[in-house]
Amino acid sequence: MAELSTQDVNDLPDSDFAHIEPGGMKDKSGKTVPRSLRHFPIHDAAHVRNALSRAPQSPFGDKAMPKIVAAAKKFGVDVSDDNGRGVAESMGIDVERRYLGEHARSAYLVDGFRLETRAADDGSKHIVGYGAVFNRRSRNLGGFVEQASPDTFSRAALEGYPGTVARYNHDQNLLLGTVQGRTLQLRTDNIGLHYDVKPPQSRADIVELVERGDVAHSSFAFRVMPGGDEWGISEENYPLRTLHDVELVDVAPVVTPAYPDATAGLRSLATRMEADLSEVRSMAERDELRKFFVRTDNRGPRVVAKKGMLAALAATQLMERREDPWADMQRL
């Protein structure tokens, strides 16, 4: 990697940095001052690799990683660690999991999408099912509800779902198949994300569990791409997050779902609203995230002029705070 002089770094535009600390100002050229607030230049492949190696040790790593990963894809830089996991996943950064099924802790509490096994022409048994469904509202995920739009996986599909795997219970040690090895097939239809995985013979016990009905539902792990979600208000006057573009990490037959972690979603909202993450978390705990979207003086909706917000938000006539319709689910 060619070393950049201080002047070279100063001349780079803000867009060539993965993270810029708040509190600075813009000079006449549109660059942030002081320049020391800009971190991780990602203008070429060499500096992207450098950023990937430095980010895990930096206090700004979790905030910078989405742009670093996006730049890595742009320049064709491998973002896998020695175990083949994505950097964001191995760092635990912004990877979210959603469970689809009938369990009380399911993120998407739906039935009719149970796993099944099918015999292939070569005699092998496959596990097939849906890892995600479109246009279904989730339960309360921690102050907001969520839905996956039909275009959630469109970009990932065009790229061939790079690095996506199938794992039992999301366990790295219980690999069932991979897109790379052509033992995992993924497609979307009008229902959602469908998967078909051919487990190795050593995982015959998992196939049997699916056949017996002990393992009946699925989960998917994902990371939202920069700008890949949208925030607004649902018809029930509740904060609504809509997924539009995600990096698919894995699909997984799951026994018992974990409680969804709202951290990544709240971080996305904080970024969109240019608010402090701790403030957003505190508001979520008090069930007050709707204040970002609705006026609290009973004079009509709060107009939030943020790029990417739902167009219908400005026209929403919300005059009072209503009870969270998912509160009973949150207490389970």
Side-chain angles (χ1 to χ4, degrees):
M1 180 180 70
E3 290 292 334
L4 295 178
S5 68
T6 300
Q7 186 60 48
D8 290 335
V9 173
N10 289 342
D11 288 341
L12 292 174
D14 282 4
S15 59
D16 282 346
F17 292 84
H19 177 67
I20 299 176
E21 292 182 69
M25 301 179 64
K26 300 288 187 179
D27 61 16
K28 293 182 179 180
S29 64
K31 302 184 186 72
T32 295
V33 289
R35 298 287 197 261
S36 58
L37 296 177
R38 309 192 303 176
H39 302 275
F40 304 113
I42 49 172
H43 60 291
D44 59 26
H47 284 85
V48 168
R49 293 189 185 93
N50 184 54
L52 284 168
S53 65
R54 292 171 49 218
Q57 288 77 46
S58 168
F60 309 114
D62 60 339
K63 297 179 180 179
M65 189 55 69
K67 289 193 66 174
I68 295 175
V69 171
K73 289 188 175 184
K74 174 183 175 181
F75 292 111
V77 176
D78 183 16
V79 296
S80 299
D81 64 10
D82 293 338
N83 294 317
R85 297 180 299 172
V87 171
E89 180 190 8
S90 64
M91 292 178 64
I93 295 174
D94 288 348
V95 174
E96 304 178 67
R97 292 181 173 87
R98 300 290 183 265
Y99 180 83
L100 171 71
E102 299 167 334
H103 194 283
R105 285 162 57 183
S106 168
Y108 289 85
L109 190 69
V110 297
D111 57 14
F113 297 97
R114 288 177 171 267
L115 290 174
E116 60 182 3
T117 61
R118 294 179 185 171
D121 293 339
D122 61 3
S124 63
K125 289 188 175 181
H126 293 214
I127 298 174
V128 300
Y130 282 91
V133 292
F134 298 141
N135 298 325
R136 293 287 190 101
R137 297 287 170 81
S138 73
R139 53 162 281 189
N140 189 332
L141 300 181
F144 65 93
V145 296
E146 182 183 271
Q147 64 184 4
S149 69
D151 59 353
T152 297
F153 305 102
S154 296
R155 181 199 50 78
L158 288 174
E159 295 178 353
Y161 299 102
T164 303
V165 303
R167 296 180 285 201
Y168 180 53
N169 279 334
H170 297 292
D171 190 332
Q172 180 70 20
N173 297 311
L174 295 174
L175 184 67
L176 300 178
T178 69
V179 168
Q180 180 180 352
R182 299 184 179 180
T183 51
L184 172 63
Q185 304 295 323
L186 298 163
R187 63 176 173 83
T188 57
D189 56 24
N190 62 332
I191 297 174
L193 176 70
H194 184 273
Y195 72 93
D196 180 327
V197 60
K198 177 184 178 181
Q201 293 182 359
S202 60
R203 304 286 182 238
D205 58 331
I206 299 175
V207 175
E208 182 180 1
L209 290 172
V210 174
E211 289 180 327
R212 299 193 323 180
D214 298 315
V215 178
H217 300 291
S218 299
S219 175
F220 74 104
F222 65 98
R223 185 176 63 83
V224 176
M225 298 300 290
D229 59 357
E230 191 173 38
W231 288 87
I233 287 287
S234 72
E235 296 85 349
E236 294 83 9
N237 188 12
Y238 210 67
L240 171 65
R241 182 194 193 196
T242 301
L243 304 178
H244 287 290
D245 183 12
V246 306
E247 175 189 2
L248 185 62
V249 176
D250 76 4
V251 288
V254 178
V255 179
T256 303
Y259 284 109
D261 184 358
T263 300
L266 296 179
R267 183 179 295 117
S268 168
L269 179 60
T271 299
R272 182 64 55 83
M273 295 299 178
E274 299 179 357
D276 183 77
L277 178 58
S278 61
E279 175 193 359
V280 173
R281 283 179 171 172
S282 178
M283 291 175 66
E285 291 173 357
R286 299 192 304 269
D287 193 24
E288 294 178 350
L289 291 182
R290 58 171 59 81
K291 289 183 177 180
F292 280 116
F293 309 98
V294 183
R295 292 176 58 156
T296 58
D297 56 6
N298 289 330
R299 294 181 181 176
R302 174 183 175 187
V303 178
V304 184
K306 293 290 180 180
K307 182 179 180 181
M309 295 299 295
L310 288 173
L313 178 59
T316 305
Q317 300 300 312
L318 302 174
M319 303 300 292
E320 61 183 7
R321 174 173 172 157
R322 301 175 186 172
E323 182 180 358
D324 172 11
W326 287 269
D328 57 336
M329 291 298 302
Q330 193 174 23
R331 291 193 289 268
L332 290 174

